[in-house]
Amino acid sequence: MPELRRDPVTGRWVIISTDRQKRPNDFRLERTTTIGRELCPFCPGRESMTPPEVLSSRQNGSAPNAPGWELRVVPNKFPALQVEGTLDREGEGLFDRMNGIGAHEVIIETPDHDRQLALMSEAEIERVLWAYRERILDLKKDFRLKHILLFKNYGYAAGATLDHPHSQLIALPIVPDFVREELDGARRHFEVKERCVFCDIIHQEIADGRRVIQENADIVALAPYAPRFAFETWFLPKQHGARFEEAQRHVTESLARLLKAMLQRIDRALETPPYNLIVHTAPFVEGLHDHYHWHVEVMPKLTRVAGFEWGTGFYINPTPPEEAAKVLRSVRL
Ligand SMILES: [Zn+2]
Ligand SMILES: [Zn+2]
Ligand SMILES: [Zn+2]
């Protein structure tokens, strides 16, 4: 059973995995490339290599866990957290820990091994977003869980170990610190100004224009004012809403369209870099986080996070966002 432990100085929670325990040798043997087509457990016909699916999209009446799918969601075979058990929280002197209850799932975005998100049709990207939503709505019913992280690692340098297009979902019994930082910031702004900080950003950035890359009726893609990473891009829904899963259909359609266009811009301008995509949405507690504003962040991996960043939590970004926005805007689609 994995365990969550809290650092007594900073209050930061970490997951200590017990099932995936590694000895020094295991790290030395770790792969340095992704798993390709020959051994891919996500390709059609290899459904038995993954745990049974919890959601799939099948138009042709094919049986679960058999070929014929367009998208599958399966529990991670090597989960960082596990769903069974009770959420026991206990102290040990000054230390705090709890059982690693949670869910860790993989969204296999397409049966086509080489069809990366940027190459998918808008309808296919929308199906991926549909799966995100369905899984959030389902896991929300579990009262032990407080927050869901949806993310995608693309490319080995961004943390992917498999080439096959996929995203991951981690549902946690706590609200993680990075999310907490944004929630706290949004609340402070709201308390002072009685306005949502993200709504304010959207209005100001659209009026200013220097950091806006592309927009449509529902979503704006922009380079944030103080990005941690070069070419970091945020996708903000123009209409206020705290939760991704409550977004209306036309909003997720617009997001799919803009994601495709933006990933193509990033691929062309930066030669298909590895990237991380993260969905930021409010924790499950209803009502409490209405001042939050859901969004998607995409961070190309162009530089490495090194000692300075680890030591300070301070990022050095070599590309001003105004310049990044200009470069991405000028890409011809
Ligand atoms: Zn595959
Ligand atoms: Zn807002
Ligand atoms: Zn965010």
Side-chain angles (χ1 to χ4, degrees), residues 182 198 234 280 292 295 297:
E182 282 193 3
F198 291 96
W234 291 4
H280 274 165
Y292 191 63
H295 56 278
E297 299 182 8

Side-chain angles (χ1 to χ4, degrees), residues 144-164:
R144 298 168 305 170
L145 303 175
K146 290 218 172 67
H147 190 71
I148 282 199
L149 282 175
L150 276 152
F151 60 98
K152 180 177 170 67
N153 304 329
Y154 169 68
Y156 184 76
T161 49
L162 287 155
D163 283 336
H164 198 115

Side-chain angles (χ1 to χ4, degrees), residues 196-200 202 237-241 290-293:
C196 162
V197 64
F198 291 96
C199 287
D200 279 4
I202 293 166
K238 291 181 180 176
Q239 177 149 30
H240 181 82
D290 287 347
H291 52 268
Y292 191 63
H293 191 123

Side-chain angles (χ1 to χ4, degrees), residues 20 51 75-81 104:
R20 301 210 275 186
N76 192 310
K77 204 169 181 179
F78 307 102
L81 294 160
H104 190 174

Side-chain angles (χ1 to χ4, degrees), residues 40 42-43 113 164:
C40 179
F42 295 164
C43 272
H113 188 86
H164 198 115

